Amino acid sequence: MAFMEDGFLDCAGWQSMLDREGLPVSSASIGLLRRDDFTARCGTLLLWCRDSEGCRAVLREYNGRAGEDVAVLLVADADALTALREGGWTPMPGLIRQGKLHPYMLKTLDELETAGLAEFVEDLGLVFPKH
């Protein structure tokens, strides 16, 4: 696999995207995972998170669980990784429709709203059924 060539582990490249695009003001993180790592339940998770310094891109080990701090997990193929790093948030809805990016909500709608990510989820073109 061309994991080193796909730029996934390049935190500086992801940080540049976050500096350009920003991140929703949130108490929770958004995780990005390569499809092969998701399938294997083992690998590296890229986190987009906020702290007192602003938006940060950090890596951590993935062992089948994203972690309590992750509200949205995005599972991406190689094409999606490139499109996200270069295009930021804009290509996300199209990548989801094309099946190149699979979003998983790890929190309820109420928890997403509390964390400040409900609008981000809506921007992805995802909806929650109202009961």
Side-chain angles (χ1 to χ4, degrees), residues 20-48:
R20 184 178 70 245
E21 296 289 316
L23 189 67
V25 176
S26 175
S27 58
S29 300
I30 298 168
L32 182 63
L33 197 59
R34 291 179 286 211
R35 190 172 316 279
D36 289 346
D37 289 359
F38 180 74
T39 302
R41 300 182 60 77
C42 180
T44 302
L45 177 67
L46 172 70
L47 289 176
W48 296 325

Side-chain angles (χ1 to χ4, degrees), residues 1 11 14 38 55-56 61-62 69-70 91 106 118 122 124:
M1 280 287 151
C11 275
W14 290 110
F38 180 74
C55 304
R56 291 185 309 127
E61 184 180 342
Y62 175 74
D69 57 330
V70 180
L106 305 181
E122 287 177 17
L124 295 179

Side-chain angles (χ1 to χ4, degrees), residues 18 22-31 47-50 55 68-74 89 92 103-128:
L18 289 176
L23 189 67
V25 176
S26 175
S27 58
S29 300
I30 298 168
L47 289 176
W48 296 325
C49 51
R50 240 183 209 289
C55 304
E68 289 298 314
D69 57 330
V70 180
V72 178
L73 179 64
L74 303 170
W89 310 127
M92 276 190 181
Y104 294 89
M105 302 310 118
L106 305 181
K107 305 289 184 193
T108 66
L109 178 57
D110 287 342
E111 290 171 322
L112 289 170
E113 285 176 355
T114 300
L117 288 174
E119 190 173 315
F120 174 79
V121 170
E122 287 177 17
D123 289 347
L124 295 179
L126 303 175
V127 296
F128 286 87

